[in-house]
Amino acid sequence: MAVFKISRERMVTEQLEARGITDARVLAAMREVPRHRFVPEALQTGAYEDHPLPIGHGQTISQPFIVALMSQMLQAEPGMKVLEVGTGSGYQAAVLAAMGLEVYSVERIKPLYFQTCDLLLQLRLHKIKVKLADGTLGRPEDAPFDRIIVTAAGPKVPEPLIAQLADPGIMVIPVGAGHNDQRLVLVLKENGQVTQTDAERVAFVDLVGAHGRRG
C-alpha cells in the first residue's frame, strides 16, 4: 500500500539517516523490506514508528534504528555468511537478506518459529534458513560464520558463538547483567585474538538458553 511505502521512506530519512546510519546497503534494505508485514495486523499502522512492538510470546520487534544500527555495525559485504540468534518476527533476517547476505537463523520458541517460517514463505524469502533450537549454541553444523548478530541480551557473550565466528569475523550482541544495564557489544575476532567493545545502550528481551539466561 502507498501509505506504508511513504511511512517506510519517512522512517529511513527521519529515524535512520538523521541519527547517523550511513551504510547504503542498510538504508536500501530498510527501504525495501515491508516492516508492517512482520508485526500483528492490529499494530501495522504503527510499524514504522520509532519504538519496538510486541509480536507475541513475550517477544518484540526492535525499533527501526536499532535494527539499522546493528546491521551497520556488522560491516558486512554481499555474499557473507551471517548467523542470527533470535529470529523473532523475521524482520532482522529479512533486512540482512536484502543486504545480500547468506542468512542462517535460530529461534527457540516453537509457535513463533512456525509463524515466522510461514511469513518468510509468503514473502518468498526462501533463502533464509531458520532452525528451531537453542540459539546460544549457534549452528555448529553450518559454521564458521563471517558475521553473527544476536537479538536478545544475555549476561555475557556465549562461548559457542565465539567459537563459530570466522577469523576475521564480527559479532554484534546486547550484553548486560540486568534489563537496565544492557549495551551493544562489538566482538572482533582477528588473528586468533578476540576483543569486545561496548557501544550503544539498549534494552532487549532475555537471551534464554544453555549459555544465556535460564528460561
Side-chain angles (χ1 to χ4, degrees), residues 166-177:
D167 185 349
I170 292 174
M171 182 191 320
V172 179
I173 176 174
V175 176

Side-chain angles (χ1 to χ4, degrees), residues 73-84 96 100-104 139 142-149 161-172 186-190:
M73 289 174 67
L74 289 175
Q75 302 173 46
E77 298 290 337
M80 282 186 171
K81 191 174 176 181
V82 59
L83 170 66
E84 177 197 34
L96 296 172
L101 305 179
E102 184 180 352
V103 183
Y104 294 76
R139 292 182 60 153
D142 299 306
F145 299 97
D146 301 300
R147 300 290 187 266
I148 297 177
I149 183 170
L161 300 186
I162 294 176
Q164 292 170 40
L165 184 62
D167 185 349
I170 292 174
M171 182 191 320
V172 179
L186 180 70
V187 181
L188 176 64
K189 182 189 282 191
E190 191 170 23

Side-chain angles (χ1 to χ4, degrees), residues 32-105:
E32 175 185 338
V33 178
R35 181 177 166 89
H36 62 279
R37 292 293 305 275
F38 294 85
V39 302
E41 188 173 354
L43 302 177
Q44 287 187 350
T45 55
Y48 298 95
E49 295 177 5
D50 189 23
H51 53 69
L53 288 170
I55 57 172
H57 312 285
Q59 304 300 297
T60 61
I61 179 174
S62 295
Q63 72 186 93
F65 174 72
I66 293 298
V67 173
L69 176 63
M70 293 180 75
S71 301
Q72 179 168 274
M73 289 174 67
L74 289 175
Q75 302 173 46
E77 298 290 337
M80 282 186 171
K81 191 174 176 181
V82 59
L83 170 66
E84 177 197 34
V85 175
T87 314
S89 67
Y91 180 65
Q92 177 72 79
V95 168
L96 296 172
M99 291 169 59
L101 305 179
E102 184 180 352
V103 183
Y104 294 76
S105 190

